[in-house]
Amino acid sequence: MPANKSGPAPKKKGRRARLVVILVVLLLVAGVGYGTFWGVSTVRASYPETTGSLKMPGLSSPVDVMRDGNGIPQIYADTDEDLFRAQGYVQAQDRFWEMDVRRHMTSGRLSEMFGKSQVKTDSFLRTLGWHETAQKEYDTKLSASTKKYLDAYSAGVNAYLEDHEGSALSLEYAALGLQNDYKPGKWKPADSVAWLKAMAWDLRGNMQEEIDRSLMTSRFSQKQIAELYPSYPYDRNKPIVQGGAVDPATKEFDPEATASGTQSAAGAAGALQSQLSSLSKTLDDVPALLGPNGNGIGSNSWVVSGKHTTTGKPLLANDPHLAPQMPSLWYQMGLHCRSQSPNCNYNVSGFTFSGMPGVVIGHNQDISWGMTNLGADVSDLYLEKVSENGYLYDDREVPFTTRKETIKVAGGSDRTITVRSTNNGPVVSDRDDELAKVGKDAPVGNAAPDRGDGYAISLKWTALSPGRSMDAVFEMNRASDWNGFRKAARNFEVPSQNLIYADTKGNIGYQAPGRIPVRGKGDGSLPAPGWDPAYKWDGYIPQSALPWELNPKSGYIVTANQAVIDQDKYPYLLTRDWGYGARSQRIDDLIKSKIKDGGKISTHDMQTMQLDNSSEIAELLTPYLLKLDVKDKYVREAQQLLEGWNYTQESDSAAAAYFNAVWRNTLKLAFGDKMPKELRVEGQCLTVHPANSTGPADDLQKWVRECGERAKDSAQPDGGDRWFEVVRKILDDPDNDWWKTEDRPGRPGDKNRDQLLAHAMQDARYELTAKLGKNINTWSWGRLHQLTLKNQTLGTDGPGMLQGLFNRGPWNLGGGEAAVDATGWNAAGGYQVVWVPSMRMVVNLADLDKSRWINLTGASGHAYNAHYDDQTGKWVKGELLPWAFSEKAVKAAAKDTLTLSP
């Protein structure tokens, strides 16, 4: 198979593409300081061959790859192995750089590509052992058929690597070649499996909340911390499953049963003092491929039965909210057997992950499914009392389990680390010098052992035990009914996801899967004493006991990270840290308003709901802002923007810009400035009283200058729907202590709610004047709330010139935090977009060819390819693309066809 040295010119936008290439060449020639320059052939060398015929070793018969006008491939084969072999080849054509970086991240080998700057991150990831666990899954857990598919996929990737290297793989390799002589090795099956560990890491539940609550103890009382983490509002925001119970005898969940009582799953847990900031910083350094650590990962999905739709069959919508990146995390693709048989079982289309075979979210000829993060608490931090010889457990010293890890460093010498593990998991505090001090001041009970030089911290996490989630992906892809889908879901152990379902027969359903621990003492909300056996995990919630429902009376199901079920009526603890249901309840309300009086929902209605940008906190807070008697004409002018506003957050809305600035400044004054430095934005400094100071805050106490330490995308208060609940509970209490701020040198404090809100309105007016100009008629939310798509390696840490080559944007966006159109931003860090609906889809079960989809970027990972960002403009406008599924529709949409031959 000859290597592609130039690639065909794109059939569309050809003239524009040529101009872009010329511009790129000029830019690159200007960069001769790097010792070389790149020509047109370098820029275009990695463009994939998409027409004609290529020889591919290992195939049993020819495979056709049809690409539509957006470069989205649909693969047709005669055997399963040929199908997945071709999937590996095609994904490598479009996205190998992304795949290569991803596998180096999951295996703790980024230093091999990028040098010594990644050693600390690699050390932490080696300590977690994602790739080691993935290899164990492949060796001991996965079915023979899954291993066969993984082998075939790997062979397809390696077939592409056999004849492509350097700039022929991607422009990024040409750039990397200026710094070192890195060359990618062969793809292995465990490289694919390990990607599920990266997913699980970013979806691991409440670890960040566990750390944050502990850090807060240096500034806040336990009562105050509880006020900042209010209980879930079950009376206002409905859980996913609103009835049902677990049979105590069979341990099976019955959606029609009534709960008769609960088991207590909560207990007291030890607290940890502010030295946990070091661990928090380490977590921030781990690449968050799915989304910022601080906000929690969100998503929307809902399904409406045929009795409420214009088609008479179900409609299913899904839009996962993940980190914006270039290229998008998702890769659209269809995998089709020309004729389904025992040797060829698949006819599935949807969103895949580059580097992993199968379809993650989508539909086959019989069923469709979507996912949102369940948010189960599947990880715990443990304090460990350690000595030179081991750690304390149950009043005896136990030796560590150890292993050596060698980290190869591009342009430098190898580094060797020793990973220590307790019976709870790896000791993550070993990976930072400062972490040796963790727990030094931990306020633990009298039964705790002598702290000596402090406690170490270990991590127990479900994803560090081998599982069968890869089996579940293939089982879902070929499931034909509800029972087959539920059977597949049982193996989807990590990460734990809300799964919604619809089929062509008219059924809709929901299943909560996942490996979720049953704790002895403790509820996972704070680090636990590792030396006490009472706090160990006592197995996992039985899969049969996890909530589910089929064809509920309401005729629809909504999952948007809200509570799965009323925790007080369920015998097992899923988590104490749900999302608070702002998005889910809004979707519920939109559906109800549409179907009342017999109304019907169309595919277009589902798409319109995905774009709803109404702000719940604006509706709650604005009436209080409008009641304030503002004397300053300058501020009053801005206040008037809120009069008559309908609380929507369009990109061109001046009112949305001003309200969100007021909300950000309200949170800063009431909560943010009172936070410990470990939770405030790095580099933002305040004059404060020392942490843990005693006595009244008077002039006798010493003031100190204290600067924040948290990455801006994960700082607090982030402004999400937890903060909606915090503020809601104190709005009608104008003298609540949270409304009061200290007198600071040169600035008097606020004494009540109205003073603080007036203060926030003033600060917001001056902030937007600085950012957007004095004339409020020129203000718009989108000018503040911008999206820039960045290449996750050279586009973030590379030289400025390279960042310009690989990044795209900015775009002005509407939407906002905890809106259905969830273009998230962190109120502590600023207004820039930090997570987005990473794709959108609406599946029409009456006619699959009338389904619609869109990706955040495009099919290609190659800068300046016509399909690098060709979907982004439509995504910004809320448009969806046609989604061809039947062979007739795929052939009609095809613009290029490539045949891979044995």
PDB file of all heavy atoms in Angstrom, residues 234 304 338 377 417 425 539 672 736 766 774 883:
ATOM      1  N   TYR A 234     -35.526  17.735  46.038  1.00  0.00           N
ATOM      2  CA  TYR A 234     -36.418  16.746  45.432  1.00  0.00           C
ATOM      3  C   TYR A 234     -37.830  17.289  45.217  1.00  0.00           C
ATOM      4  O   TYR A 234     -38.535  16.861  44.299  1.00  0.00           O
ATOM      5  CB  TYR A 234     -36.496  15.496  46.315  1.00  0.00           C
ATOM      6  CG  TYR A 234     -35.220  14.695  46.365  1.00  0.00           C
ATOM      7  CD1 TYR A 234     -34.377  14.759  47.470  1.00  0.00           C
ATOM      8  CD2 TYR A 234     -34.852  13.873  45.312  1.00  0.00           C
ATOM      9  CE1 TYR A 234     -33.200  14.023  47.530  1.00  0.00           C
ATOM     10  CE2 TYR A 234     -33.683  13.130  45.355  1.00  0.00           C
ATOM     11  CZ  TYR A 234     -32.862  13.207  46.468  1.00  0.00           C
ATOM     12  OH  TYR A 234     -31.700  12.474  46.509  1.00  0.00           O
ATOM     13  N   VAL A 304     -38.778  10.834  24.202  1.00  0.00           N
ATOM     14  CA  VAL A 304     -40.231  11.041  24.236  1.00  0.00           C
ATOM     15  C   VAL A 304     -40.886   9.907  23.464  1.00  0.00           C
ATOM     16  O   VAL A 304     -40.488   9.599  22.338  1.00  0.00           O
ATOM     17  CB  VAL A 304     -40.607  12.402  23.621  1.00  0.00           C
ATOM     18  CG1 VAL A 304     -42.114  12.632  23.710  1.00  0.00           C
ATOM     19  CG2 VAL A 304     -39.858  13.541  24.314  1.00  0.00           C
ATOM     20  N   ARG A 338     -22.611  -5.559   5.220  1.00  0.00           N
ATOM     21  CA  ARG A 338     -23.405  -5.561   3.992  1.00  0.00           C
ATOM     22  C   ARG A 338     -24.600  -6.501   4.125  1.00  0.00           C
ATOM     23  O   ARG A 338     -25.682  -6.209   3.634  1.00  0.00           O
ATOM     24  CB  ARG A 338     -22.536  -5.988   2.800  1.00  0.00           C
ATOM     25  CG  ARG A 338     -21.453  -4.977   2.447  1.00  0.00           C
ATOM     26  CD  ARG A 338     -20.821  -5.322   1.104  1.00  0.00           C
ATOM     27  NE  ARG A 338     -19.761  -4.366   0.761  1.00  0.00           N
ATOM     28  CZ  ARG A 338     -18.477  -4.568   0.969  1.00  0.00           C
ATOM     29  NH1 ARG A 338     -18.072  -5.692   1.548  1.00  0.00           N
ATOM     30  NH2 ARG A 338     -17.583  -3.662   0.615  1.00  0.00           N
ATOM     31  N   ASP A 377     -20.736   8.345  43.277  1.00  0.00           N
ATOM     32  CA  ASP A 377     -19.490   8.522  44.025  1.00  0.00           C
ATOM     33  C   ASP A 377     -18.738   7.198  44.001  1.00  0.00           C
ATOM     34  O   ASP A 377     -19.039   6.276  44.763  1.00  0.00           O
ATOM     35  CB  ASP A 377     -19.800   8.951  45.456  1.00  0.00           C
ATOM     36  CG  ASP A 377     -18.535   9.271  46.247  1.00  0.00           C
ATOM     37  OD1 ASP A 377     -17.439   9.151  45.678  1.00  0.00           O
ATOM     38  OD2 ASP A 377     -18.651   9.632  47.426  1.00  0.00           O
ATOM     39  N   ILE A 417      10.441   5.982  39.235  1.00  0.00           N
ATOM     40  CA  ILE A 417       9.669   6.234  40.448  1.00  0.00           C
ATOM     41  C   ILE A 417       9.242   4.901  41.053  1.00  0.00           C
ATOM     42  O   ILE A 417       9.177   3.886  40.366  1.00  0.00           O
ATOM     43  CB  ILE A 417       8.423   7.095  40.169  1.00  0.00           C
ATOM     44  CG1 ILE A 417       7.455   6.364  39.226  1.00  0.00           C
ATOM     45  CG2 ILE A 417       8.811   8.459  39.604  1.00  0.00           C
ATOM     46  CD1 ILE A 417       6.107   7.050  39.082  1.00  0.00           C
ATOM     47  N   GLY A 425      -5.581   1.436  47.841  1.00  0.00           N
ATOM     48  CA  GLY A 425      -5.215   1.878  46.507  1.00  0.00           C
ATOM     49  C   GLY A 425      -3.867   2.558  46.503  1.00  0.00           C
ATOM     50  O   GLY A 425      -3.155   2.607  47.518  1.00  0.00           O
ATOM     51  N   GLY A 539     -18.098  -4.332  49.050  1.00  0.00           N
ATOM     52  CA  GLY A 539     -18.671  -4.784  47.788  1.00  0.00           C
ATOM     53  C   GLY A 539     -19.302  -3.647  46.993  1.00  0.00           C
ATOM     54  O   GLY A 539     -19.011  -2.471  47.227  1.00  0.00           O
ATOM     55  N   GLY A 672     -16.831  34.098  47.362  1.00  0.00           N
ATOM     56  CA  GLY A 672     -15.499  33.906  46.805  1.00  0.00           C
ATOM     57  C   GLY A 672     -14.391  34.531  47.619  1.00  0.00           C
ATOM     58  O   GLY A 672     -13.351  33.900  47.873  1.00  0.00           O
ATOM     59  N   ASN A 736     -28.713  37.535  56.617  1.00  0.00           N
ATOM     60  CA  ASN A 736     -27.897  36.323  56.707  1.00  0.00           C
ATOM     61  C   ASN A 736     -26.414  36.689  56.670  1.00  0.00           C
ATOM     62  O   ASN A 736     -25.994  37.603  55.953  1.00  0.00           O
ATOM     63  CB  ASN A 736     -28.237  35.381  55.549  1.00  0.00           C
ATOM     64  CG  ASN A 736     -27.589  34.018  55.693  1.00  0.00           C
ATOM     65  OD1 ASN A 736     -26.403  33.843  55.444  1.00  0.00           O
ATOM     66  ND2 ASN A 736     -28.384  33.050  56.110  1.00  0.00           N
ATOM     67  N   TYR A 766     -18.757  48.581  36.256  1.00  0.00           N
ATOM     68  CA  TYR A 766     -17.402  49.040  35.973  1.00  0.00           C
ATOM     69  C   TYR A 766     -16.567  47.940  35.298  1.00  0.00           C
ATOM     70  O   TYR A 766     -15.712  48.228  34.460  1.00  0.00           O
ATOM     71  CB  TYR A 766     -16.741  49.555  37.252  1.00  0.00           C
ATOM     72  CG  TYR A 766     -17.247  50.922  37.636  1.00  0.00           C
ATOM     73  CD1 TYR A 766     -18.334  51.068  38.498  1.00  0.00           C
ATOM     74  CD2 TYR A 766     -16.674  52.082  37.103  1.00  0.00           C
ATOM     75  CE1 TYR A 766     -18.826  52.326  38.834  1.00  0.00           C
ATOM     76  CE2 TYR A 766     -17.155  53.343  37.429  1.00  0.00           C
ATOM     77  CZ  TYR A 766     -18.235  53.461  38.297  1.00  0.00           C
ATOM     78  OH  TYR A 766     -18.718  54.702  38.605  1.00  0.00           O
ATOM     79  N   LYS A 774     -17.882  51.887  27.483  1.00  0.00           N
ATOM     80  CA  LYS A 774     -18.776  52.695  28.317  1.00  0.00           C
ATOM     81  C   LYS A 774     -20.207  52.670  27.813  1.00  0.00           C
ATOM     82  O   LYS A 774     -21.155  52.725  28.598  1.00  0.00           O
ATOM     83  CB  LYS A 774     -18.250  54.137  28.349  1.00  0.00           C
ATOM     84  CG  LYS A 774     -19.028  55.074  29.238  1.00  0.00           C
ATOM     85  CD  LYS A 774     -18.388  56.460  29.259  1.00  0.00           C
ATOM     86  CE  LYS A 774     -19.177  57.413  30.159  1.00  0.00           C
ATOM     87  NZ  LYS A 774     -18.542  58.766  30.197  1.00  0.00           N
ATOM     88  N   TRP A 883     -28.493  12.894   8.799  1.00  0.00           N
ATOM     89  CA  TRP A 883     -27.763  11.722   9.286  1.00  0.00           C
ATOM     90  C   TRP A 883     -28.234  10.503   8.502  1.00  0.00           C
ATOM     91  O   TRP A 883     -29.202   9.854   8.871  1.00  0.00           O
ATOM     92  CB  TRP A 883     -28.020  11.567  10.780  1.00  0.00           C
ATOM     93  CG  TRP A 883     -27.285  10.473  11.480  1.00  0.00           C
ATOM     94  CD1 TRP A 883     -26.498   9.504  10.961  1.00  0.00           C
ATOM     95  CD2 TRP A 883     -27.303  10.245  12.902  1.00  0.00           C
ATOM     96  NE1 TRP A 883     -26.013   8.681  11.944  1.00  0.00           N
ATOM     97  CE2 TRP A 883     -26.485   9.129  13.162  1.00  0.00           C
ATOM     98  CE3 TRP A 883     -27.911  10.878  13.971  1.00  0.00           C
ATOM     99  CZ2 TRP A 883     -26.289   8.609  14.439  1.00  0.00           C
ATOM    100  CZ3 TRP A 883     -27.719  10.380  15.249  1.00  0.00           C
ATOM    101  CH2 TRP A 883     -26.913   9.267  15.482  1.00  0.00           C
TER     102      TRP A 883
END
